[in-house]
mmCIF file with all atom_site columns, all heavy atoms in Angstrom:
data_model
loop_
_atom_site.group_PDB
_atom_site.id
_atom_site.type_symbol
_atom_site.label_atom_id
_atom_site.label_alt_id
_atom_site.label_comp_id
_atom_site.label_asym_id
_atom_site.label_entity_id
_atom_site.label_seq_id
_atom_site.pdbx_PDB_ins_code
_atom_site.Cartn_x
_atom_site.Cartn_y
_atom_site.Cartn_z
_atom_site.occupancy
_atom_site.B_iso_or_equiv
_atom_site.pdbx_formal_charge
_atom_site.auth_seq_id
_atom_site.auth_comp_id
_atom_site.auth_asym_id
_atom_site.auth_atom_id
_atom_site.pdbx_PDB_model_num
ATOM 1   N N   . TYR A 1 46  ? 80.685  -43.976 -33.494 1.00 87.00 ? 278 TYR A N   1
ATOM 2   C CA  . TYR A 1 46  ? 79.637  -43.700 -32.555 1.00 87.00 ? 278 TYR A CA  1
ATOM 3   C C   . TYR A 1 46  ? 80.254  -43.700 -31.159 1.00 87.00 ? 278 TYR A C   1
ATOM 4   O O   . TYR A 1 46  ? 81.274  -44.366 -30.928 1.00 87.00 ? 278 TYR A O   1
ATOM 5   C CB  . TYR A 1 46  ? 78.505  -44.754 -32.637 1.00 87.00 ? 278 TYR A CB  1
ATOM 6   C CG  . TYR A 1 46  ? 77.622  -44.593 -33.855 1.00 87.00 ? 278 TYR A CG  1
ATOM 7   C CD1 . TYR A 1 46  ? 77.907  -45.218 -35.088 1.00 87.00 ? 278 TYR A CD1 1
ATOM 8   C CD2 . TYR A 1 46  ? 76.468  -43.796 -33.787 1.00 87.00 ? 278 TYR A CD2 1
ATOM 9   C CE1 . TYR A 1 46  ? 77.108  -45.026 -36.141 1.00 87.00 ? 278 TYR A CE1 1
ATOM 10  C CE2 . TYR A 1 46  ? 75.643  -43.666 -34.914 1.00 87.00 ? 278 TYR A CE2 1
ATOM 11  C CZ  . TYR A 1 46  ? 75.974  -44.253 -36.087 1.00 87.00 ? 278 TYR A CZ  1
ATOM 12  O OH  . TYR A 1 46  ? 75.191  -44.070 -37.198 1.00 87.00 ? 278 TYR A OH  1
ATOM 13  N N   . ALA A 1 56  ? 75.580  -37.569 -16.041 1.00 94.00 ? 288 ALA A N   1
ATOM 14  C CA  . ALA A 1 56  ? 75.961  -36.153 -15.831 1.00 94.00 ? 288 ALA A CA  1
ATOM 15  C C   . ALA A 1 56  ? 75.094  -35.540 -14.755 1.00 94.00 ? 288 ALA A C   1
ATOM 16  O O   . ALA A 1 56  ? 73.900  -35.854 -14.599 1.00 94.00 ? 288 ALA A O   1
ATOM 17  C CB  . ALA A 1 56  ? 75.883  -35.363 -17.129 1.00 94.00 ? 288 ALA A CB  1
ATOM 18  N N   . SER A 1 60  ? 76.942  -30.447 -6.176  1.00 86.00 ? 292 SER A N   1
ATOM 19  C CA  . SER A 1 60  ? 76.462  -29.723 -5.034  1.00 86.00 ? 292 SER A CA  1
ATOM 20  C C   . SER A 1 60  ? 77.642  -29.286 -4.206  1.00 86.00 ? 292 SER A C   1
ATOM 21  O O   . SER A 1 60  ? 78.750  -29.746 -4.322  1.00 86.00 ? 292 SER A O   1
ATOM 22  C CB  . SER A 1 60  ? 75.502  -30.611 -4.202  1.00 86.00 ? 292 SER A CB  1
ATOM 23  O OG  . SER A 1 60  ? 76.226  -31.688 -3.666  1.00 86.00 ? 292 SER A OG  1
ATOM 24  N N   . HIS A 1 91  ? 82.604  -52.102 -4.703  1.00 88.00 ? 323 HIS A N   1
ATOM 25  C CA  . HIS A 1 91  ? 83.189  -52.415 -6.005  1.00 88.00 ? 323 HIS A CA  1
ATOM 26  C C   . HIS A 1 91  ? 84.024  -51.220 -6.450  1.00 88.00 ? 323 HIS A C   1
ATOM 27  O O   . HIS A 1 91  ? 83.545  -50.148 -6.670  1.00 88.00 ? 323 HIS A O   1
ATOM 28  C CB  . HIS A 1 91  ? 82.138  -52.679 -7.071  1.00 88.00 ? 323 HIS A CB  1
ATOM 29  C CG  . HIS A 1 91  ? 82.654  -53.140 -8.377  1.00 88.00 ? 323 HIS A CG  1
ATOM 30  N ND1 . HIS A 1 91  ? 82.880  -54.472 -8.663  1.00 88.00 ? 323 HIS A ND1 1
ATOM 31  C CD2 . HIS A 1 91  ? 83.118  -52.422 -9.444  1.00 88.00 ? 323 HIS A CD2 1
ATOM 32  C CE1 . HIS A 1 91  ? 83.439  -54.567 -9.907  1.00 88.00 ? 323 HIS A CE1 1
ATOM 33  N NE2 . HIS A 1 91  ? 83.546  -53.314 -10.411 1.00 88.00 ? 323 HIS A NE2 1
ATOM 34  N N   . GLU A 1 94  ? 88.953  -48.604 -11.433 1.00 95.00 ? 326 GLU A N   1
ATOM 35  C CA  . GLU A 1 94  ? 90.044  -47.668 -11.831 1.00 95.00 ? 326 GLU A CA  1
ATOM 36  C C   . GLU A 1 94  ? 89.457  -46.533 -12.569 1.00 95.00 ? 326 GLU A C   1
ATOM 37  O O   . GLU A 1 94  ? 88.552  -46.647 -13.360 1.00 95.00 ? 326 GLU A O   1
ATOM 38  C CB  . GLU A 1 94  ? 91.058  -48.443 -12.732 1.00 95.00 ? 326 GLU A CB  1
ATOM 39  C CG  . GLU A 1 94  ? 91.866  -49.476 -11.999 1.00 95.00 ? 326 GLU A CG  1
ATOM 40  C CD  . GLU A 1 94  ? 92.942  -50.079 -12.952 1.00 95.00 ? 326 GLU A CD  1
ATOM 41  O OE1 . GLU A 1 94  ? 93.282  -49.463 -13.943 1.00 95.00 ? 326 GLU A OE1 1
ATOM 42  O OE2 . GLU A 1 94  ? 93.434  -51.223 -12.613 1.00 95.00 ? 326 GLU A OE2 1
ATOM 43  N N   . ALA A 1 95  ? 89.960  -45.338 -12.239 1.00 95.00 ? 327 ALA A N   1
ATOM 44  C CA  . ALA A 1 95  ? 89.391  -44.133 -12.852 1.00 95.00 ? 327 ALA A CA  1
ATOM 45  C C   . ALA A 1 95  ? 90.454  -43.130 -13.168 1.00 95.00 ? 327 ALA A C   1
ATOM 46  O O   . ALA A 1 95  ? 91.535  -43.108 -12.624 1.00 95.00 ? 327 ALA A O   1
ATOM 47  C CB  . ALA A 1 95  ? 88.384  -43.535 -11.909 1.00 95.00 ? 327 ALA A CB  1
ATOM 48  N N   . SER A 1 103 ? 90.199  -21.537 -19.314 1.00 85.00 ? 335 SER A N   1
ATOM 49  C CA  . SER A 1 103 ? 91.432  -20.721 -19.129 1.00 85.00 ? 335 SER A CA  1
ATOM 50  C C   . SER A 1 103 ? 92.699  -21.557 -19.277 1.00 85.00 ? 335 SER A C   1
ATOM 51  O O   . SER A 1 103 ? 93.768  -21.014 -19.427 1.00 85.00 ? 335 SER A O   1
ATOM 52  C CB  . SER A 1 103 ? 91.417  -20.057 -17.765 1.00 85.00 ? 335 SER A CB  1
ATOM 53  O OG  . SER A 1 103 ? 91.300  -21.014 -16.711 1.00 85.00 ? 335 SER A OG  1
ATOM 54  N N   . ILE A 1 125 ? 70.595  -57.050 4.657   1.00 65.00 ? 357 ILE A N   1
ATOM 55  C CA  . ILE A 1 125 ? 71.011  -58.437 4.905   1.00 65.00 ? 357 ILE A CA  1
ATOM 56  C C   . ILE A 1 125 ? 70.795  -58.808 6.370   1.00 65.00 ? 357 ILE A C   1
ATOM 57  O O   . ILE A 1 125 ? 70.317  -59.898 6.723   1.00 65.00 ? 357 ILE A O   1
ATOM 58  C CB  . ILE A 1 125 ? 72.450  -58.701 4.451   1.00 65.00 ? 357 ILE A CB  1
ATOM 59  C CG1 . ILE A 1 125 ? 72.582  -58.511 2.937   1.00 65.00 ? 357 ILE A CG1 1
ATOM 60  C CG2 . ILE A 1 125 ? 72.965  -60.068 4.847   1.00 65.00 ? 357 ILE A CG2 1
ATOM 61  C CD1 . ILE A 1 125 ? 74.032  -58.516 2.452   1.00 65.00 ? 357 ILE A CD1 1
ATOM 62  N N   . LEU A 1 136 ? 78.828  -43.278 -4.781  1.00 88.00 ? 368 LEU A N   1
ATOM 63  C CA  . LEU A 1 136 ? 80.048  -43.423 -5.542  1.00 88.00 ? 368 LEU A CA  1
ATOM 64  C C   . LEU A 1 136 ? 81.124  -42.621 -4.746  1.00 88.00 ? 368 LEU A C   1
ATOM 65  O O   . LEU A 1 136 ? 81.065  -41.393 -4.670  1.00 88.00 ? 368 LEU A O   1
ATOM 66  C CB  . LEU A 1 136 ? 79.872  -42.879 -6.916  1.00 88.00 ? 368 LEU A CB  1
ATOM 67  C CG  . LEU A 1 136 ? 80.923  -43.285 -7.976  1.00 88.00 ? 368 LEU A CG  1
ATOM 68  C CD1 . LEU A 1 136 ? 81.067  -44.775 -8.159  1.00 88.00 ? 368 LEU A CD1 1
ATOM 69  C CD2 . LEU A 1 136 ? 80.654  -42.616 -9.326  1.00 88.00 ? 368 LEU A CD2 1
ATOM 70  N N   . ALA A 1 156 ? 81.798  -41.419 -17.095 1.00 96.00 ? 388 ALA A N   1
ATOM 71  C CA  . ALA A 1 156 ? 81.736  -42.194 -18.342 1.00 96.00 ? 388 ALA A CA  1
ATOM 72  C C   . ALA A 1 156 ? 82.348  -43.599 -18.134 1.00 96.00 ? 388 ALA A C   1
ATOM 73  O O   . ALA A 1 156 ? 83.533  -43.650 -17.650 1.00 96.00 ? 388 ALA A O   1
ATOM 74  C CB  . ALA A 1 156 ? 82.354  -41.466 -19.474 1.00 96.00 ? 388 ALA A CB  1
ATOM 75  N N   . PHE A 1 182 ? 77.724  -35.571 -25.258 1.00 94.00 ? 414 PHE A N   1
ATOM 76  C CA  . PHE A 1 182 ? 77.111  -36.728 -24.628 1.00 94.00 ? 414 PHE A CA  1
ATOM 77  C C   . PHE A 1 182 ? 75.546  -36.651 -24.686 1.00 94.00 ? 414 PHE A C   1
ATOM 78  O O   . PHE A 1 182 ? 74.908  -37.546 -24.139 1.00 94.00 ? 414 PHE A O   1
ATOM 79  C CB  . PHE A 1 182 ? 77.599  -36.891 -23.218 1.00 94.00 ? 414 PHE A CB  1
ATOM 80  C CG  . PHE A 1 182 ? 79.032  -37.333 -23.146 1.00 94.00 ? 414 PHE A CG  1
ATOM 81  C CD1 . PHE A 1 182 ? 80.009  -36.513 -22.582 1.00 94.00 ? 414 PHE A CD1 1
ATOM 82  C CD2 . PHE A 1 182 ? 79.423  -38.544 -23.666 1.00 94.00 ? 414 PHE A CD2 1
ATOM 83  C CE1 . PHE A 1 182 ? 81.346  -36.922 -22.477 1.00 94.00 ? 414 PHE A CE1 1
ATOM 84  C CE2 . PHE A 1 182 ? 80.771  -38.979 -23.625 1.00 94.00 ? 414 PHE A CE2 1
ATOM 85  C CZ  . PHE A 1 182 ? 81.704  -38.146 -23.056 1.00 94.00 ? 414 PHE A CZ  1
ATOM 86  N N   . GLU A 1 197 ? 72.277  -45.812 -24.268 1.00 85.00 ? 429 GLU A N   1
ATOM 87  C CA  . GLU A 1 197 ? 72.163  -46.120 -25.677 1.00 85.00 ? 429 GLU A CA  1
ATOM 88  C C   . GLU A 1 197 ? 72.927  -45.019 -26.447 1.00 85.00 ? 429 GLU A C   1
ATOM 89  O O   . GLU A 1 197 ? 72.442  -43.888 -26.619 1.00 85.00 ? 429 GLU A O   1
ATOM 90  C CB  . GLU A 1 197 ? 70.701  -46.143 -26.107 1.00 85.00 ? 429 GLU A CB  1
ATOM 91  C CG  . GLU A 1 197 ? 69.931  -47.257 -25.415 1.00 85.00 ? 429 GLU A CG  1
ATOM 92  C CD  . GLU A 1 197 ? 70.422  -48.656 -25.784 1.00 85.00 ? 429 GLU A CD  1
ATOM 93  O OE1 . GLU A 1 197 ? 70.882  -48.806 -26.905 1.00 85.00 ? 429 GLU A OE1 1
ATOM 94  O OE2 . GLU A 1 197 ? 70.313  -49.546 -24.933 1.00 85.00 ? 429 GLU A OE2 1
ATOM 95  N N   . ARG A 1 210 ? 84.772  -35.182 -32.647 1.00 83.00 ? 442 ARG A N   1
ATOM 96  C CA  . ARG A 1 210 ? 86.121  -35.710 -32.521 1.00 83.00 ? 442 ARG A CA  1
ATOM 97  C C   . ARG A 1 210 ? 86.994  -34.726 -31.746 1.00 83.00 ? 442 ARG A C   1
ATOM 98  O O   . ARG A 1 210 ? 87.810  -35.044 -30.902 1.00 83.00 ? 442 ARG A O   1
ATOM 99  C CB  . ARG A 1 210 ? 86.723  -36.014 -33.862 1.00 83.00 ? 442 ARG A CB  1
ATOM 100 C CG  . ARG A 1 210 ? 86.661  -37.456 -34.275 1.00 83.00 ? 442 ARG A CG  1
ATOM 101 C CD  . ARG A 1 210 ? 87.681  -37.783 -35.340 1.00 83.00 ? 442 ARG A CD  1
ATOM 102 N NE  . ARG A 1 210 ? 87.720  -36.869 -36.425 1.00 83.00 ? 442 ARG A NE  1
ATOM 103 C CZ  . ARG A 1 210 ? 86.937  -36.904 -37.489 1.00 83.00 ? 442 ARG A CZ  1
ATOM 104 N NH1 . ARG A 1 210 ? 86.017  -37.872 -37.623 1.00 83.00 ? 442 ARG A NH1 1
ATOM 105 N NH2 . ARG A 1 210 ? 87.043  -36.021 -38.437 1.00 83.00 ? 442 ARG A NH2 1
ATOM 106 N N   . ILE A 1 216 ? 89.364  -34.620 -24.016 1.00 90.00 ? 448 ILE A N   1
ATOM 107 C CA  . ILE A 1 216 ? 89.335  -35.423 -22.759 1.00 90.00 ? 448 ILE A CA  1
ATOM 108 C C   . ILE A 1 216 ? 90.189  -36.659 -22.916 1.00 90.00 ? 448 ILE A C   1
ATOM 109 O O   . ILE A 1 216 ? 90.014  -37.693 -22.216 1.00 90.00 ? 448 ILE A O   1
ATOM 110 C CB  . ILE A 1 216 ? 87.864  -35.806 -22.401 1.00 90.00 ? 448 ILE A CB  1
ATOM 111 C CG1 . ILE A 1 216 ? 87.155  -36.530 -23.515 1.00 90.00 ? 448 ILE A CG1 1
ATOM 112 C CG2 . ILE A 1 216 ? 87.118  -34.575 -21.939 1.00 90.00 ? 448 ILE A CG2 1
ATOM 113 C CD1 . ILE A 1 216 ? 85.763  -37.083 -23.122 1.00 90.00 ? 448 ILE A CD1 1
ATOM 114 N N   . SER A 1 251 ? 89.082  -31.810 -53.715 1.00 94.00 ? 483 SER A N   1
ATOM 115 C CA  . SER A 1 251 ? 89.122  -32.461 -55.028 1.00 94.00 ? 483 SER A CA  1
ATOM 116 C C   . SER A 1 251 ? 88.652  -33.909 -54.928 1.00 94.00 ? 483 SER A C   1
ATOM 117 O O   . SER A 1 251 ? 88.220  -34.519 -55.952 1.00 94.00 ? 483 SER A O   1
ATOM 118 C CB  . SER A 1 251 ? 90.512  -32.416 -55.635 1.00 94.00 ? 483 SER A CB  1
ATOM 119 O OG  . SER A 1 251 ? 91.407  -33.322 -54.979 1.00 94.00 ? 483 SER A OG  1
ATOM 120 N N   . ASN A 1 257 ? 78.321  -29.969 -54.057 1.00 87.00 ? 489 ASN A N   1
ATOM 121 C CA  . ASN A 1 257 ? 78.046  -28.623 -54.556 1.00 87.00 ? 489 ASN A CA  1
ATOM 122 C C   . ASN A 1 257 ? 77.683  -27.752 -53.404 1.00 87.00 ? 489 ASN A C   1
ATOM 123 O O   . ASN A 1 257 ? 76.566  -27.886 -52.835 1.00 87.00 ? 489 ASN A O   1
ATOM 124 C CB  . ASN A 1 257 ? 76.875  -28.692 -55.577 1.00 87.00 ? 489 ASN A CB  1
ATOM 125 C CG  . ASN A 1 257 ? 76.587  -27.314 -56.169 1.00 87.00 ? 489 ASN A CG  1
ATOM 126 O OD1 . ASN A 1 257 ? 77.256  -26.326 -55.846 1.00 87.00 ? 489 ASN A OD1 1
ATOM 127 N ND2 . ASN A 1 257 ? 75.527  -27.274 -57.017 1.00 87.00 ? 489 ASN A ND2 1
ATOM 128 N N   . VAL A 1 268 ? 81.534  -31.228 -44.514 1.00 90.00 ? 500 VAL A N   1
ATOM 129 C CA  . VAL A 1 268 ? 82.032  -32.385 -45.284 1.00 90.00 ? 500 VAL A CA  1
ATOM 130 C C   . VAL A 1 268 ? 83.466  -32.175 -45.714 1.00 90.00 ? 500 VAL A C   1
ATOM 131 O O   . VAL A 1 268 ? 84.289  -33.090 -45.637 1.00 90.00 ? 500 VAL A O   1
ATOM 132 C CB  . VAL A 1 268 ? 81.090  -32.687 -46.464 1.00 90.00 ? 500 VAL A CB  1
ATOM 133 C CG1 . VAL A 1 268 ? 81.767  -33.696 -47.413 1.00 90.00 ? 500 VAL A CG1 1
ATOM 134 C CG2 . VAL A 1 268 ? 79.748  -33.211 -45.979 1.00 90.00 ? 500 VAL A CG2 1
ATOM 135 N N   . HIS A 1 283 ? 100.922 -42.515 -41.141 1.00 88.00 ? 515 HIS A N   1
ATOM 136 C CA  . HIS A 1 283 ? 101.971 -43.126 -41.914 1.00 88.00 ? 515 HIS A CA  1
ATOM 137 C C   . HIS A 1 283 ? 103.350 -42.490 -41.630 1.00 88.00 ? 515 HIS A C   1
ATOM 138 O O   . HIS A 1 283 ? 104.337 -43.164 -41.367 1.00 88.00 ? 515 HIS A O   1
ATOM 139 C CB  . HIS A 1 283 ? 101.652 -43.046 -43.401 1.00 88.00 ? 515 HIS A CB  1
ATOM 140 C CG  . HIS A 1 283 ? 102.755 -43.631 -44.271 1.00 88.00 ? 515 HIS A CG  1
ATOM 141 N ND1 . HIS A 1 283 ? 102.826 -44.972 -44.498 1.00 88.00 ? 515 HIS A ND1 1
ATOM 142 C CD2 . HIS A 1 283 ? 103.757 -43.032 -44.993 1.00 88.00 ? 515 HIS A CD2 1
ATOM 143 C CE1 . HIS A 1 283 ? 103.893 -45.181 -45.308 1.00 88.00 ? 515 HIS A CE1 1
ATOM 144 N NE2 . HIS A 1 283 ? 104.432 -44.022 -45.622 1.00 88.00 ? 515 HIS A NE2 1
ATOM 145 N N   . ASP A 1 299 ? 114.288 -35.127 -27.280 1.00 83.00 ? 531 ASP A N   1
ATOM 146 C CA  . ASP A 1 299 ? 113.986 -35.293 -28.681 1.00 83.00 ? 531 ASP A CA  1
ATOM 147 C C   . ASP A 1 299 ? 112.562 -35.806 -28.857 1.00 83.00 ? 531 ASP A C   1
ATOM 148 O O   . ASP A 1 299 ? 111.797 -35.349 -29.709 1.00 83.00 ? 531 ASP A O   1
ATOM 149 C CB  . ASP A 1 299 ? 114.972 -36.249 -29.358 1.00 83.00 ? 531 ASP A CB  1
ATOM 150 C CG  . ASP A 1 299 ? 114.868 -36.230 -30.865 1.00 83.00 ? 531 ASP A CG  1
ATOM 151 O OD1 . ASP A 1 299 ? 114.327 -35.275 -31.408 1.00 83.00 ? 531 ASP A OD1 1
ATOM 152 O OD2 . ASP A 1 299 ? 115.341 -37.220 -31.508 1.00 83.00 ? 531 ASP A OD2 1
ATOM 153 N N   . TYR A 1 334 ? 85.843  -10.497 -50.889 1.00 97.00 ? 566 TYR A N   1
ATOM 154 C CA  . TYR A 1 334 ? 86.492  -10.516 -49.585 1.00 97.00 ? 566 TYR A CA  1
ATOM 155 C C   . TYR A 1 334 ? 87.987  -10.253 -49.714 1.00 97.00 ? 566 TYR A C   1
ATOM 156 O O   . TYR A 1 334 ? 88.547  -10.315 -50.851 1.00 97.00 ? 566 TYR A O   1
ATOM 157 C CB  . TYR A 1 334 ? 86.295  -11.919 -48.951 1.00 97.00 ? 566 TYR A CB  1
ATOM 158 C CG  . TYR A 1 334 ? 87.036  -12.988 -49.684 1.00 97.00 ? 566 TYR A CG  1
ATOM 159 C CD1 . TYR A 1 334 ? 88.353  -13.318 -49.393 1.00 97.00 ? 566 TYR A CD1 1
ATOM 160 C CD2 . TYR A 1 334 ? 86.423  -13.689 -50.702 1.00 97.00 ? 566 TYR A CD2 1
ATOM 161 C CE1 . TYR A 1 334 ? 89.061  -14.302 -50.047 1.00 97.00 ? 566 TYR A CE1 1
ATOM 162 C CE2 . TYR A 1 334 ? 87.094  -14.671 -51.419 1.00 97.00 ? 566 TYR A CE2 1
ATOM 163 C CZ  . TYR A 1 334 ? 88.420  -14.989 -51.063 1.00 97.00 ? 566 TYR A CZ  1
ATOM 164 O OH  . TYR A 1 334 ? 89.098  -15.946 -51.792 1.00 97.00 ? 566 TYR A OH  1
ATOM 165 N N   . ASN A 1 364 ? 79.334  1.034   -41.820 1.00 94.00 ? 596 ASN A N   1
ATOM 166 C CA  . ASN A 1 364 ? 78.257  0.045   -41.525 1.00 94.00 ? 596 ASN A CA  1
ATOM 167 C C   . ASN A 1 364 ? 78.173  -1.017  -42.582 1.00 94.00 ? 596 ASN A C   1
ATOM 168 O O   . ASN A 1 364 ? 77.459  -2.024  -42.350 1.00 94.00 ? 596 ASN A O   1
ATOM 169 C CB  . ASN A 1 364 ? 76.948  0.767   -41.337 1.00 94.00 ? 596 ASN A CB  1
ATOM 170 C CG  . ASN A 1 364 ? 76.874  1.571   -40.063 1.00 94.00 ? 596 ASN A CG  1
ATOM 171 O OD1 . ASN A 1 364 ? 77.599  1.234   -39.099 1.00 94.00 ? 596 ASN A OD1 1
ATOM 172 N ND2 . ASN A 1 364 ? 76.132  2.641   -40.075 1.00 94.00 ? 596 ASN A ND2 1
ATOM 173 N N   . GLN A 1 381 ? 89.981  -11.872 -29.031 1.00 75.00 ? 613 GLN A N   1
ATOM 174 C CA  . GLN A 1 381 ? 91.077  -11.387 -29.883 1.00 75.00 ? 613 GLN A CA  1
ATOM 175 C C   . GLN A 1 381 ? 90.627  -10.622 -31.083 1.00 75.00 ? 613 GLN A C   1
ATOM 176 O O   . GLN A 1 381 ? 91.310  -9.671  -31.560 1.00 75.00 ? 613 GLN A O   1
ATOM 177 C CB  . GLN A 1 381 ? 91.964  -12.557 -30.300 1.00 75.00 ? 613 GLN A CB  1
ATOM 178 C CG  . GLN A 1 381 ? 92.618  -13.277 -29.208 1.00 75.00 ? 613 GLN A CG  1
ATOM 179 C CD  . GLN A 1 381 ? 93.362  -14.539 -29.680 1.00 75.00 ? 613 GLN A CD  1
ATOM 180 O OE1 . GLN A 1 381 ? 93.341  -14.856 -30.838 1.00 75.00 ? 613 GLN A OE1 1
ATOM 181 N NE2 . GLN A 1 381 ? 93.905  -15.290 -28.763 1.00 75.00 ? 613 GLN A NE2 1
#
Side-chain angles (χ1 to χ4, degrees):
Y278 285 89
S292 65
H323 184 91
E326 290 185 18
S335 58
I357 296 172
L368 196 59
F414 290 116
E429 298 296 329
R442 261 201 313 273
I448 58 174
S483 74
N489 183 2
V500 168
H515 178 80
D531 191 21
Y566 67 89
N596 288 332
Q613 296 172 2

